[in-house]
Amino acid sequence: MDDRPAAQEPRFGVVVPSSGALAQPESIVAVARRADEAGFDSIWAIDHIVIPASGVYVFGEDVYEQLVVLAHLAAVTHRVRLGTSVMVVPYRNPIVAAKMLATIDALSGGRLILGVGSGWLEEEFDALGAEYASRGAATDEALDTFVSLWTRRDEGQSARFGDIRFAPTPVQEPHPPILIGGNSRRAIRRAVELGQGWHPTTVLSEAELVTLGDHLQTSWQAAGRRGKPEIALGIPVFVTDTPPDPEETWLGARMVAGPPEEVVAELRRLAGFVTHFVIHVVAHTREQLFAQLDLIARDVLPGARLRS
């Protein structure tokens, strides 16, 4: 099992606008290129296939397919890693998904970060004909299939492949890092057993994040895993001289908001246990999106990267 040590300084990614009102091809590409040029470490895309009518107010109607987006962005960027935040594993045939992910890693020169989850939107499962009740077991089996195919094991613990050939395999050895999404102890257990880290969001309170983060570290050591697990925190960021109400959220998640120096201070504080920040840029218009992206790149990242 692959064990990657945590980085010595936090890394920073940005979620591209592949869903909602700002989801236009030119904006997705422009944000990715700007992130690549401005010193972000990664770009990330979300995963929905269809949006139930009850969820349109949150996600919008336009949602570009996650893996196609990342494959496209691999061709128009040079340096940034390409992350799934998160890929809902039960939505896709696991062998087909393993092939698509390996292809992205190969074509990008080894830049894929695989954030995964078992999903939560039951109506979407129903529309896709996927079993909601067994999504956890399906996720575990699929992850085992991914690793089996990528590392050329003849068979996984839960899947039999017979006499087949699977190539290309990912560039990254032994395979791209797998970060487990989810807000439960089951997600932590999956991270310890099958992943290289955890990908939570600030939908959790800070107290919950710290408690589960401590549980991850303890479980990691108890399982004999070497190094430290990655913790990639999804977090909305809004740079403003007039901060919003402290209780205001962005897509249900708590924001880090305020003048640049306050945002820097908060991110540096959280970097005590976070290895990678996955930033959701808070914006309502295309102009605001790019203005915020520039502010974060210029006024937040340099200071937030420093370790005290």
Side-chain angles (χ1 to χ4, degrees):
M1 183 173 287
D2 181 37
D3 296 295
R4 295 172 171 82
Q8 295 303 305
E9 67 174 24
R11 284 152 291 150
F12 292 87
V14 63
V15 179
V16 299
S18 59
S19 69
L22 302 183
Q24 294 94 30
E26 59 273 16
S27 295
I28 295 170
V29 169
V31 167
R33 284 177 166 161
R34 177 61 180 142
D36 199 31
E37 296 163 357
F40 286 89
D41 300 288
S42 56
I43 54 178
W44 302 70
I46 71 162
D47 190 21
H48 284 287
I49 308 299
V50 296
I51 303 298
S54 61
V56 168
Y57 79 100
V58 176
F59 303 106
E61 292 189 358
D62 290 339
V63 182
Y64 288 79
E65 201 282 329
Q66 180 188 65
L67 301 186
V68 175
V69 166
L70 292 180
H72 181 61
L73 296 182
V76 299
T77 57
H78 304 285
R79 180 189 54 81
V80 286
R81 304 292 298 274
L82 309 161
T84 58
S85 183
V86 292
M87 187 180 82
V88 183
V89 175
Y91 287 174
R92 298 168 178 84
N93 176 284
I95 297 177
V96 174
K99 171 65 77 171
M100 295 176 73
L101 293 164
T103 300
I104 291 172
D105 198 63
L107 292 178
S108 69
R111 290 191 277 150
L112 180 66
I113 302 172
L114 180 57
V116 298
S118 58
W120 60 274
L121 192 54
E122 187 169 0
E123 298 94 329
E124 192 168 13
F125 277 79
D126 292 342
L128 296 172
E131 289 290 337
Y132 183 77
S134 60
R135 66 194 186 282
T139 297
D140 292 344
E141 182 174 340
L143 292 177
D144 181 71
T145 295
F146 293 172
V147 174
S148 297
L149 292 169
W150 292 341
T151 58
R152 300 183 185 274
R153 294 195 333 232
D154 289 335
E155 61 185 28
Q157 295 172 4
S158 306
R160 299 292 185 268
F161 305 120
D163 186 18
I164 65 169
R165 302 295 180 266
F166 183 94
T169 54
V171 170
Q172 297 180 78
E173 292 287 351
H175 55 76
I178 299 172
L179 306 181
I180 307 298
N183 302 330
S184 66
R185 288 184 175 246
R186 179 66 190 89
I188 297 299
R189 187 165 79 250
R190 183 175 287 124
V192 172
E193 294 172 352
L194 301 170
Q196 282 68 57
W198 181 39
H199 183 21
T201 73
T202 54
V203 169
L204 292 172
S205 69
E206 184 168 339
E208 291 169 324
L209 283 169
V210 170
T211 297
L212 285 173
D214 288 344
H215 180 58
L216 171 63
Q217 301 287 354
T218 301
S219 300
W220 195 266
Q221 294 171 7
R225 299 291 301 268
R226 297 185 302 276
K228 294 182 179 179
E230 295 274 359
I231 299 180
L233 179 64
I235 186 168
V237 172
F238 184 42
V239 180
T240 175
D241 290 330
T242 55
D245 187 292
E247 300 301 317
E248 187 174 345
T249 63
W250 181 256
L251 300 180
R254 293 178 296 105
M255 290 192 287
V256 170
E261 60 275 12
E262 293 184 11
V263 174
V264 167
E266 180 65 6
L267 293 178
R268 290 187 66 180
R269 187 180 68 80
L270 291 171
F273 75 99
V274 171
T275 63
H276 203 137
F277 291 96
V278 179
I279 294 173
H280 295 258
V281 179
V282 176
H284 297 281
T285 66
R286 189 175 189 274
E287 292 73 22
Q288 188 180 38
L289 171 66
F290 286 99
Q292 282 290 310
L293 189 64
D294 287 342
L295 283 170
I296 293 168
R298 185 189 68 211
D299 297 339
V300 173
L301 292 196
R305 287 188 190 280
L306 300 176
R307 288 284 189 183
S308 56

